[in-house]
Amino acid sequence: TVIKLAEQSYLLKGVAQPIAENLLTEITHITSLSPFRQMSTKSGYYVGAKMTNCGDLGWVSDHKGYRYTAIDPLTNMPWPSMPGLFETLAEKYASLVGFHHFHPNACLINQYAPGIGMGLHQDKDENDYTQPIVSVSLGVSAIFQFGGNKRNEKPSYHLLNHGDIVIWGGLDRLRFHGIQPIKLAHHNLTGQLRYNLTFRDTGTII
Ligand code: MD3
Ligand code: FE
């Protein structure tokens, strides 16, 4: 079932469930090459979720700020390539909700432990805001906070379960959003953890 969250934002319930185990196997492979790591911010705080990337570009944060890089600063190697399964999944569902010709060149993989969340923010480190973002939730459920284009707009809250996909673009591309701290729970495929894949076309040619 497709839930329309806003003019150009969609929540597709459970659609990735049939291939979830394959997605998790790909994550295990990616993290054998580029492990999950804690990133820090310019202000010296840690980003809560552990992160890694696959694809031509990866999102990184450190004392210099946020940016996309072609080289993983931990391994000094290119990020692992994006699995065909990831790309196919992201493109299929983007197209289903009307975002045709979406070709992600970056996939950020977030790993959330119990008590970890992500504060309200906008995704504005890309060079092309005309392209949508596709997100896939795996493992333990989370409550996501879906705000407006201004920080002070009152958010709505939606439960993201294993296999759910959220897609947003166009007018909704710069909406504020966040993840409430994950509750202590158990999922048979991921234990106490939640994983989220976010697919982006950064608009950068490397
Ligand atoms: C954005 N990740 O990595 S994606 C991020 O679950 C990030 O790891 C979160 O935000 C995560 O930048 C959230 C899900 C999501 C859902 C709805 C949105 C992001 C959204 C609506 C508008 C904008
Ligand atoms: Fe975000």
Side-chain angles (χ1 to χ4, degrees), residues 25-148:
T25 300
E26 295 291 6
I27 293 173
T28 301
H29 173 68
I30 291 161
T31 56
S32 75
L33 303 170
S34 278
F36 279 118
R37 80 291 307 265
Q38 203 94 54
M39 295 207 194
S40 48
T41 64
K42 221 160 35 179
S43 21
Y45 293 97
Y46 277 123
V47 178
K50 290 187 179 181
M51 297 177 166
T52 188
N53 294 275
C54 65
D56 289 341
L57 291 171
W59 185 88
V60 300
S61 178
D62 61 17
H63 64 280
K64 292 184 275 188
Y66 311 134
R67 65 201 174 280
Y68 283 92
T69 68
I71 300 294
D72 176 353
L74 186 65
T75 62
N76 292 118
M77 299 277 287
W79 296 103
S81 58
M82 193 182 301
L85 182 71
F86 280 23
E87 194 173 348
T88 305
L89 180 74
E91 292 177 356
K92 170 177 168 177
Y93 287 103
S95 177
L96 184 82
V97 297
F99 297 111
H100 301 286
H101 317 291
F102 174 56
H103 299 295
N105 63 349
C107 175
L108 171 65
I109 309 173
N110 296 328
Q111 185 200 62
Y112 294 82
I116 301 297
M118 190 178 284
L120 202 65
H121 68 279
Q122 292 173 296
D123 291 7
K124 346 180 259 193
D125 301 323
E126 298 74 31
N127 291 320
D128 185 353
Y129 300 149
T130 69
Q131 293 302 313
I133 299 181
V134 173
S135 111
V136 182
S137 293
L138 295 168
V140 170
S141 300
I143 298 170
F144 91 89
Q145 204 182 356
F146 183 57

Side-chain angles (χ1 to χ4, degrees), residues 48-49 110-121 137 140-147 155-160 176-185 192-196:
N110 296 328
Q111 185 200 62
Y112 294 82
I116 301 297
M118 190 178 284
L120 202 65
H121 68 279
S137 293
V140 170
S141 300
I143 298 170
F144 91 89
Q145 204 182 356
F146 183 57
S156 56
Y157 295 86
H158 305 267
L159 187 64
L160 296 182
F176 279 88
H177 57 282
I179 294 288
Q180 311 260 82
I182 303 297
K183 284 189 268 197
L184 180 56
Q192 298 181 347
L193 303 175
R194 170 180 188 260
Y195 295 93
N196 183 265

